[in-house]
Amino acid sequence: MNVISTKKHLFLAFIAVLCSVYTGFSQVKDYKISLQWQPVQNNYEGKNQSLSVLSISNGSEFDIPAKGWTLYFNYGADIPKPESRGLSMSFINGDLYKIEPTAAFDGIPAGSKLSYQMLKSGSTDNVTQSPQGFYIVFDSEPNKAIPLQCTYPEPSAEYLNTLYSSKTWMNPSFVHSKNQDIQDIPSSKLPLIFPSPTEMKVNTGEFKISSSTSISADPLFAKEAAYLSDELAKILTGKPSIAKQGVINIKKDASLASEAYTLQVTENGIQIAASSPAGAFYAIQSLKSLIPPLSWKSKQASVNVQSVDVKDQPRFGYRSFMLDVARNFHTKEELFKILDLMSLYKLNVFHFHFSEDEGWRVEIPSLPELTQIGSVRGHTLDNKNLLQAAFASGGVPNKLHGSGYLTKKEFIELLKYATARHIEVIPEIESPGHARAAIRAMEYRYERFKKAGNMAEATKYRLIDPQDKSQFRSAQGWNDNIMDVSMPSVYNFVEKVTDELILMYKEAGAPLKTIHYGGDEVPTGVWEKSPSYQKFKQANPNIKSVDDMWYYYFGRLNQMVKKRGLFLSGWEEAGMRKTVLDGKSTYIANPDFGNQHFQLHVWNNVIGWGAEDLAHKLANGGYKVVLSPVSNMYFDLASNSSYFEPGLKWGGYVDVDKPFYFLPFDYLKNVKEDGSGRPLKNLDQTKMIRLTDYGKSNIVGLQGLLWSEHNTSAERLEYMLLPKLLGLAERAWSKAPEWETGEASALNDLKYSNDWSTFTNVLGKRELPRLSYYHGGFAYRIPEVGLKADNGKVDANIQLPGLTIRYTMDGSEPSETSAIYTTPISQKGKFKFAAFDVAGRKGRITEIENK
């Protein structure tokens, strides 16, 4: 019999993100306040709503007064019943809420606890849906935010069993069923280079690389030779030298494609050939892939690499990863680490999402307010001098990861670092939506110059009409985050930022072909009551409605970037036009910008929302398309449906298999889950558009995306990123797999099953051990152990063979010294299992009882 229970290991590490409080107040004495939040019931009162309890404990010697304080926190929820126990909960803006005492509140006596019932629309299905970032402010000191500790105990067994009663919830037996077809392949039978090369022949013999190994290169590849020497010095006791005649030789072969290479390793040396520095660089990454994975654990006198003949080139020339550093900031050091990770797996585009509603993260010297105001989050009542708290940042300003930015010097260093690794950095200026940080910064600038009596300068870069009474609410809850594109000053702003970025790229010697200007999620209702818009409409007969302002805005941006020798990139909405079909509003590919190298990153293919084929429509319509689909490439989505698995779930679930089985030219064929993660046998495509051959020619490449609403640490970022990024790398670089062709889904194909087993074994036995130590080590996700009790025995399995499965039977948590699982266990009792990596890190604990 299975007793299903999934424990909370790593749970607190992800969501108890705030420090404890023991703070003195000059007028309110010394308070010790702590919080505890716990979900109680979904489908509460038979409605689509969930109940939770926030316990407020007063551990001080004084009563918490009946009035004169406000508790703030971030919560992605709608609250249908805000009052409980004399406390009133209300929405402020974005994801910020507050709880205040009402006249019916009696205070909280010293040493006692109050349980406040919180009701929200929808269900609470995982840890990420919890309120976070708590802080309290007393009326006597209104500018002082006091962070509060909140703990998150494990939900009741009844609550969890209700969730796990569905066959699609990630209980140990369901995990086991998902893993059961994965073969455990001996390491000696696994491919030695990842991502999979186009052609590789393994020969007999090895070549020994040591500090005495010399490297030579044609002049074109001098930087790549120096890079290889530096990389080898990280694992060897000495640094290989650069010589005129080296046993490792990099030469030019003009017959090869721009990113192609050949690599030959024999017992006598290593020969690399390429037509470009990028091709030589990728050959070096393949050479590093041949090096035994644990070589990065410590330095050694020498390493042996297998003799091989390799011919390789990428399937797609655009292999991208997008990282959001705006909603939560990530430091230059972490960004360098991500760039090294990308280069190891031959990704060549870094989409740098540095501006958002919640933050502006790159210094623009001529507009210092963008980082002075736009990079700082904390407690504020008016949003004039800093941005309000968001995404667990708390009320104290200038604290990671809510606050922070890259200086001009640091950004140029980032560009140089990426360029040396043949990674193109595409900056994103979010506009006209998702622009609250810029808007608040420019309002501060307006007030500063207005006070100085310089109205021309005050209004030069203003982004909103202060008399605009339009009412709207963005997808992220903001009512003040949209630039007013009828104002000339908006174009002054965008051009100024564009020109300063161009100058930074020139100083860094970094290539810049395009800038991404956002273009997504502008809500209904914007600009309608803007005096600026009304005036603009009267002066421009072509403007019939606010919808026309969309086309006008991107038309002007398109002209602007062309004058600067660039092409325009944006989210898919930038290339769409609203029209009417059968009396209903609908969207089509906007013919205004088709065939103008207008590049769209298409994200919206949420299964069941009706836009599953949008990328096909836009590519067929002449737009260059970067496939960035929610269904397979949104790495911020939870890996599975376990309550304890962090991540969002609005677009389904994305584990490492989703990017791996993604079919770039026919991605709807392999859909097996809807937007809620429910199994879907066959997606009805009868009304969906398929890619034409012309459309296929407009598919530029693939992109994985990691939004950072909940990435409040480097460890959390890496957990959400890895190993999903490796699925993207394989699909973007490697040739089309044999199972891609055919009419039916490939997921039932034996060839797919074999490739999936090989891929999981390569990750578990080669790439994850490498990443445990590469660049200081990555905190990748270790999957939970699948468990099944059958015929009196407990059977365990793992998604990534090579990880060590350990277990206990005495109630203790598994450790590095616990028993190793090798074969089914016939002993009776309660078991706790966990998987461990080579560095001793542990995944989440799962339990089973064998009766």
Side-chain angles (χ1 to χ4, degrees):
M1 173 182 179
N2 280 342
V3 176
I4 298 166
S5 174
T6 307
K7 288 295 183 180
K8 63 178 182 297
H9 184 70
L10 293 179
F11 175 46
L12 295 179
F14 284 123
I15 67 171
V17 296
L18 297 174
C19 59
S20 61
V21 62
Y22 183 100
T23 308
F25 304 93
S26 57
Q27 300 181 45
V28 292
K29 301 180 182 180
D30 293 328
Y31 281 94
K32 299 177 183 177
I33 304 170
S34 60
L35 308 174
Q36 176 180 289
W37 180 87
Q38 187 174 32
V40 175
Q41 185 180 342
N42 285 326
N43 198 35
Y44 183 65
E45 296 179 337
K47 302 176 182 178
N48 183 28
Q49 59 187 12
S50 56
L51 177 69
S52 61
V53 171
L54 177 68
S55 298
I56 307 173
S57 297
N58 181 9
S60 47
E61 299 176 359
F62 315 100
D63 294 350
I64 295 176
K67 60 181 180 179
W69 56 269
T70 305
L71 180 66
Y72 296 88
F73 58 96
N74 301 118
Y75 198 22
D78 293 321
I79 309 298
K81 188 176 180 182
E83 266 192 55
S84 172
R85 300 293 302 274
L87 297 175
S88 178
M89 180 173 168
S90 59
F91 171 72
I92 299 174
N93 204 358
D95 70 339
L96 187 63
Y97 286 81
K98 63 180 179 179
I99 294 175
E100 299 173 291
T102 68
F105 187 63
D106 295 328
I108 305 176
S112 64
K113 178 175 71 173
L114 178 143
S115 294
Y116 173 68
Q117 289 191 334
M118 300 173 69
L119 197 64
K120 84 172 187 72
S121 299
S123 60
T124 299
D125 298 326
N126 77 356
V127 295
T128 300
Q129 295 176 304
S130 59
Q132 301 178 43
F134 289 93
Y135 67 93
I136 193 169
V137 176
F138 286 84
D139 292 358
S140 57
E141 299 184 66
N143 295 318
K144 186 175 184 179
I146 312 301
L148 299 179
Q149 178 187 10
C150 185
T151 57
Y152 301 82
E154 182 177 336
S156 68
E158 181 182 5
Y159 184 92
L160 292 176
N161 285 334
T162 300
L163 289 179
Y164 298 155
S165 62
S166 166
K167 292 181 180 179
T168 62
W169 284 92
M170 234 25 202
N171 56 58
S173 62
F174 186 58
V175 175
H176 188 280
S177 68
K178 287 174 69 71
N179 296 339
Q180 64 185 356
D181 293 330
I182 296 173
Q183 306 166 45
D184 190 348
I185 303 172
S187 297
S188 60
K189 302 291 185 181
L190 295 175
L192 297 176
I193 294 178
F194 182 86
S196 303
T198 307
E199 296 179 29
M200 182 173 70
K201 178 184 177 184
V202 178
N203 303 316
T204 58
E206 295 179 327
F207 176 72
K208 180 183 289 187
I209 302 175
S210 69
S211 58
S212 62
T213 300
S214 57
I215 303 169
S216 61
D218 288 354
L220 179 63
F221 306 125
K223 291 181 180 179
E224 285 63 43
Y227 168 85
L228 175 57
S229 177
D230 290 340
E231 289 296 288
L232 292 175
K234 295 174 182 178
I235 60 175
L236 299 173
T237 52
K239 183 177 179 178
S241 61
I242 306 297
K244 288 186 177 181
Q245 296 293 328
V247 291
I248 300 179
N249 182 43
I250 309 174
K251 63 181 180 179
K252 182 176 180 179
D253 182 345
S255 68
L256 295 172
S258 61
E259 292 186 299
Y261 69 88
T262 63
L263 169 65
Q264 183 182 52
V265 180
T266 69
E267 294 177 338
N268 299 318
I270 298 173
Q271 296 292 322
I272 290 171
S275 64
S276 72
F281 184 81
Y282 299 135
I284 291 170
Q285 304 314 310
S286 290
L287 176 59
K288 287 163 59 179
S289 194
L290 287 171
I291 295 173
L294 296 183
S295 298
W296 279 265
K297 182 177 181 180
S298 60
K299 292 193 174 187
Q300 51 254 289
S302 64
V303 293
N304 292 340
V305 292
Q306 180 67 43
S307 293
V308 293
D309 284 306
V310 179
K311 294 181 181 179
D312 197 12
Q313 66 181 46
R315 182 182 186 188
F316 292 100
Y318 193 102
R319 306 175 300 280
S320 177
F321 169 60
M322 189 225 75
L323 179 63
D324 166 19
V325 300
R327 286 173 170 145
N328 275 305
F329 180 64
H330 300 286
T331 65
K332 183 188 76 171
E333 291 72 23
E334 183 65 19
L335 295 178
F336 279 18
K337 190 176 181 183
I338 296 300
L339 290 172
D340 274 334
L341 177 72
M342 290 176 61
S343 67
L344 178 64
Y345 295 114
K346 305 184 178 80
L347 299 175
N348 66 346
V349 179
F350 181 45
H351 178 164
F352 190 50
H353 188 89
F354 73 82
S355 67
E356 256 294 348
D357 295 321
E358 299 82 12
W360 182 285
R361 308 301 187 180
V362 172
E363 178 187 18
I364 305 297
S366 64
L367 297 174
E369 299 85 359
L370 286 171
T371 45
Q372 180 185 351
I373 305 301
S375 75
V376 182
R377 295 209 299 259
H379 176 63
T380 175
L381 298 176
D382 57 18
N383 284 275
K384 289 183 177 180
N385 298 314
L386 74 167
L387 305 181
Q388 70 178 55
F391 300 128
S393 60
V396 179
N398 294 310
K399 299 285 187 182
L400 283 176
H401 286 262
S403 300
Y405 68 95
L406 295 181
T407 65
K408 174 184 175 181
K409 178 177 179 292
E410 289 174 323
F411 183 58
I412 290 173
E413 289 173 355
L414 178 79
L415 294 176
K416 289 180 177 179
Y417 200 84
T419 301
R421 286 149 183 79
H422 297 276
I423 295 173
E424 177 186 354
V425 179
I426 296 182
E428 181 179 352
I429 307 169
E430 266 283 24
S431 69
H434 290 278
R436 189 174 187 272
I439 289 169
R440 299 316 311 166
M442 292 302 96
E443 284 302 285
Y444 179 90
R445 184 183 187 278
Y446 170 84
E447 295 295 339
R448 179 165 68 89
F449 281 102
K450 177 184 176 183
K451 186 176 181 180
N454 189 346
M455 289 304 296
E457 195 63 32
T459 58
K460 188 174 183 179
Y461 300 113
R462 204 174 193 188
L463 301 177
I464 57 170
D465 183 337
Q467 302 304 316
D468 186 359
K469 304 301 180 184
S470 303
Q471 295 184 356
F472 61 87
R473 184 72 64 183
S474 75
Q476 286 73 30
W478 299 106
N479 64 359
D480 56 355
N481 71 332
I482 311 296
M483 298 177 182
D484 189 335
V485 299
S486 67
M487 298 171 61
S489 52
V490 167
Y491 302 93
N492 295 340
F493 173 83
V494 175
E495 289 187 14
K496 171 59 70 174
V497 175
T498 296
D499 288 340
E500 293 229 8
L501 287 172
I502 290 173
L503 289 175
M504 284 188 257
Y505 274 77
K506 287 181 178 178
E507 186 173 340
L512 181 63
K513 302 173 185 175
T514 184
I515 294 177
H516 194 295
Y517 289 94
D520 65 320
E521 297 185 323
V522 172
T524 301
V526 298
W527 309 320
E528 292 175 349
K529 298 181 180 179
S530 162
S532 176
Y533 162 69
Q534 295 296 339
K535 182 179 178 180
F536 187 88
K537 181 181 177 183
Q538 290 176 5
N540 293 271
N542 292 331
I543 303 299
K544 307 297 184 184
S545 71
V546 292
D547 293 333
D548 294 321
M549 294 306 302
W550 189 252
Y551 323 130
Y552 174 81
Y553 177 67
F554 278 101
R556 280 196 60 169
L557 291 193
N558 194 32
Q559 294 172 8
M560 184 265 292
V561 298
K562 283 183 176 180
K563 290 178 181 178
R564 289 158 173 79
L566 307 174
F567 64 86
L568 189 146
S569 291
W571 300 110
E572 67 247 31
E573 292 98 319
M576 294 166 65
R577 176 177 282 275
K578 183 183 288 188
T579 186
V580 175
L581 177 66
D582 297 331
K584 297 181 180 179
S585 179
T586 188
Y587 286 91
I588 62 171
N590 188 347
D592 293 354
F593 308 128
N595 302 308
Q596 293 192 35
H597 207 295
F598 202 100
Q599 185 163 289
L600 300 178
H601 297 232
V602 184
W603 64 266
N604 184 8
N605 77 322
V606 181
I607 309 304
W609 284 15
E612 294 88 343
D613 59 351
L614 180 57
H616 297 170
K617 293 178 180 178
L618 290 167
N620 290 347
Y623 286 91
K624 300 299 180 183
V625 168
V626 177
L627 295 171
S628 313
V630 171
S631 63
N632 297 69
M633 298 295 179
Y634 262 42
F635 298 162
D636 55 303
L637 297 183
S639 291
N640 60 49
S641 57
S642 167
Y643 176 84
F644 300 103
E645 187 63 46
L648 299 174
K649 50 161 282 183
W650 63 270
Y653 302 99
V654 174
D655 199 356
V656 65
D657 62 329
K658 291 286 184 73
F660 177 79
Y661 68 61
F662 182 71
L663 301 180
F665 296 136
D666 199 5
Y667 58 82
L668 296 176
K669 186 169 69 175
N670 270 8
V671 169
K672 65 175 182 178
E673 293 177 353
D674 65 13
S676 298
R678 294 183 291 261
L680 192 64
K681 288 187 177 180
N682 291 296
L683 178 67
D684 183 4
Q685 301 182 49
T686 54
K687 297 182 180 180
M688 296 181 187
I689 301 298
R690 301 203 51 194
L691 267 181
T692 63
D693 287 345
Y694 170 69
K696 289 179 182 179
S697 73
N698 284 322
I699 300 297
V700 175
L702 313 184
Q703 177 169 262
L705 308 93
L706 182 53
W707 302 98
S708 285
E709 290 99 320
H710 303 284
N711 294 334
T712 54
S713 68
E715 292 76 18
R716 172 68 179 269
L717 184 158
E718 293 172 11
Y719 180 98
M720 301 305 296
L721 178 61
L722 291 166
K724 298 175 187 180
L725 186 78
L726 304 189
L728 165 68
E730 176 72 4
R731 201 50 55 232
W733 178 274
S734 302
K735 64 182 180 182
E738 292 184 28
W739 42 268
E740 183 171 304
T741 58
E743 293 297 322
S745 169
L747 301 183
N748 297 319
D749 191 309
L750 180 60
K751 293 177 181 177
Y752 167 78
S753 180
N754 290 337
D755 279 1
W756 171 238
S757 288
T758 298
F759 175 77
T760 57
N761 277 263
V762 166
L763 264 57
K765 296 174 181 178
R766 292 189 59 83
E767 297 314 310
L768 295 188
R770 191 188 319 273
L771 293 179
S772 290
Y773 302 104
Y774 192 80
H775 201 126
F778 288 83
Y780 54 79
R781 178 181 183 270
I782 299 173
E784 58 273 81
V785 178
L787 298 172
K788 182 178 73 170
D790 189 34
N791 294 323
K793 294 183 178 181
V794 172
D795 188 64
N797 61 20
I798 194 75
Q799 181 192 55
L800 304 175
L803 296 169
T804 302
I805 300 175
R806 296 181 182 272
Y807 67 95
T808 61
M809 296 185 63
D810 60 3
S812 64
E813 293 193 353
S815 69
E816 287 185 84
T817 61
S818 299
I820 297 176
Y821 173 85
T822 54
T823 58
I825 305 168
S826 59
Q827 290 173 274
K828 307 301 181 184
K830 295 181 179 180
F831 295 79
K832 291 185 177 182
F833 284 81
F836 290 76
D837 70 5
V838 293
R841 291 192 312 116
K842 177 171 61 176
R844 198 164 56 244
I845 295 172
T846 53
E847 300 183 8
I848 194 168
E849 184 174 3
N850 191 31
K851 292 187 175 181

